[in-house]
Amino acid sequence: MKLYASPLSTAAFKVLAVVHELALPVTLAPLDMMKGEHKSPAFLAKNPNGKVPVLEDDDGFCVWESNAILCYLAALKPGSGLMPMDARGVAQVQQWLQWQATTLAPSTTEVLMETVYAKMMGREKDEAKYVAGLEKVRRDLGILEGVLTQREFLCGSLTIADFSLVSNLLLRAPMGLELEAFPHVKAWVARLEARESVRKARPPL
Ligand SMILES: N[C@@H](CCC(=O)N[C@@H](CS)C(=O)NCC(=O)O)C(=O)O
């Protein structure tokens, strides 16, 4: 299998972490987004959105949307426990994957836009947008804090949901995001960051 990714993509990060966690045979295919390689006709044939990550299986079958890729990888190793089999377990994992895509990813992306990405694009930070983004991230961390006071991982035991959500908090230092006010979130992030799979996949920042 091949994973099309770019080094600073938090969406690609979570896929790579689960690839390592499951010890799956995946080759990394880095795209140079500065050169627009993700908008080439060859890549658009794999993902018409022109976004990374994309997972391509050996027979050419392609999946995009990082959370869908996580579901595919977990289904390839059903005994791993990273995706429960019972109705409630599946619903809980899906609940968090969808919350990540609709809530946590947009709020953390607002902050990344005014910090890491603004710097990359050589523009000044828009302070008002940055502060508004941080406020939304803190709202989301409050929700996670409440859940993580009761359990070690989001769905009880470790699942793909943990890898999906933690991906948005890995660049917290350059985002200027402190976790001190959210001790259970901080401990959960530390538990995940201690895993070899996460350490191997971390973005270079
Ligand atoms: N919801 C998508 C987001 C994918 C996404 O936005 N990828 C970014 C990199 S993190 C990208 O490829 N951006 C290029 C573009 O939008 O042109 C997922 O989770 O896979």
Side-chain angles (χ1 to χ4, degrees):
M1 288 184 284
K2 230 180 196 181
L3 176 65
Y4 294 89
S6 82
L8 280 186
S9 162
T10 53
F13 158 79
K14 66 171 90 150
V15 175
L16 201 50
V18 169
V19 161
H20 290 310
E21 186 73 26
L22 296 175
L24 286 163
V26 171
T27 311
L28 201 54
L31 292 186
D32 189 338
M33 296 180 70
M34 289 301 187
K35 286 192 187 146
E37 285 178 356
H38 56 308
K39 304 295 178 193
S40 72
F43 187 71
L44 288 172
K46 301 181 197 304
N47 180 359
N49 299 289
K51 291 179 189 233
V52 295
V54 172
L55 184 83
E56 183 173 25
D57 212 335
D58 297 340
D59 61 357
F61 172 76
C62 285
V63 202
W64 41 266
E65 278 300 325
S66 54
N67 288 335
I69 300 173
L70 296 189
C71 292
Y72 183 68
L73 295 176
L76 293 179
K77 287 243 178 146
S80 72
L82 288 191
M83 182 64 169
M85 303 293 224
D86 63 297
R88 291 183 184 192
V90 170
Q92 278 197 324
V93 169
Q94 285 297 345
Q95 163 196 288
W96 284 116
L97 294 181
Q98 292 182 34
W99 188 77
Q100 187 274 340
T102 57
T103 307
L104 186 63
S107 61
T108 49
T109 301
E110 277 184 36
V111 176
L112 276 172
M113 274 298 187
E114 300 311 321
T115 50
V116 177
Y117 300 150
K119 206 177 237 177
M120 273 169 61
M121 292 183 284
R123 72 161 171 84
E124 288 297 308
K125 174 202 232 179
D126 180 323
E127 195 61 34
K129 284 188 182 168
Y130 173 69
V131 170
L134 262 189
E135 193 148 314
K136 289 182 198 162
V137 173
R138 291 200 185 106
R139 169 205 65 193
D140 298 344
L141 291 177
I143 289 170
L144 287 176
E145 180 68 14
V147 171
L148 291 166
T149 48
Q150 299 156 35
R151 51 185 89 151
E152 278 208 350
F153 295 106
L154 293 168
C155 301
S157 60
L158 181 72
T159 67
I160 52 174
D162 297 290
F163 291 94
S164 179
L165 273 78
V166 83
S167 68
N168 295 118
L169 301 177
L170 291 174
L171 296 179
R172 62 193 178 281
M175 285 162 71
L177 179 64
E178 299 277 348
L179 296 181
E180 298 312 317
F182 309 96
H184 293 87
V185 175
K186 192 176 175 196
W188 167 76
V189 170
R191 268 195 293 283
L192 286 159
E193 286 184 337
R195 299 188 81 82
E196 201 187 349
S197 58
V198 173
R199 286 209 307 271
K200 277 165 125 174
R202 264 201 85 90
L205 275 185

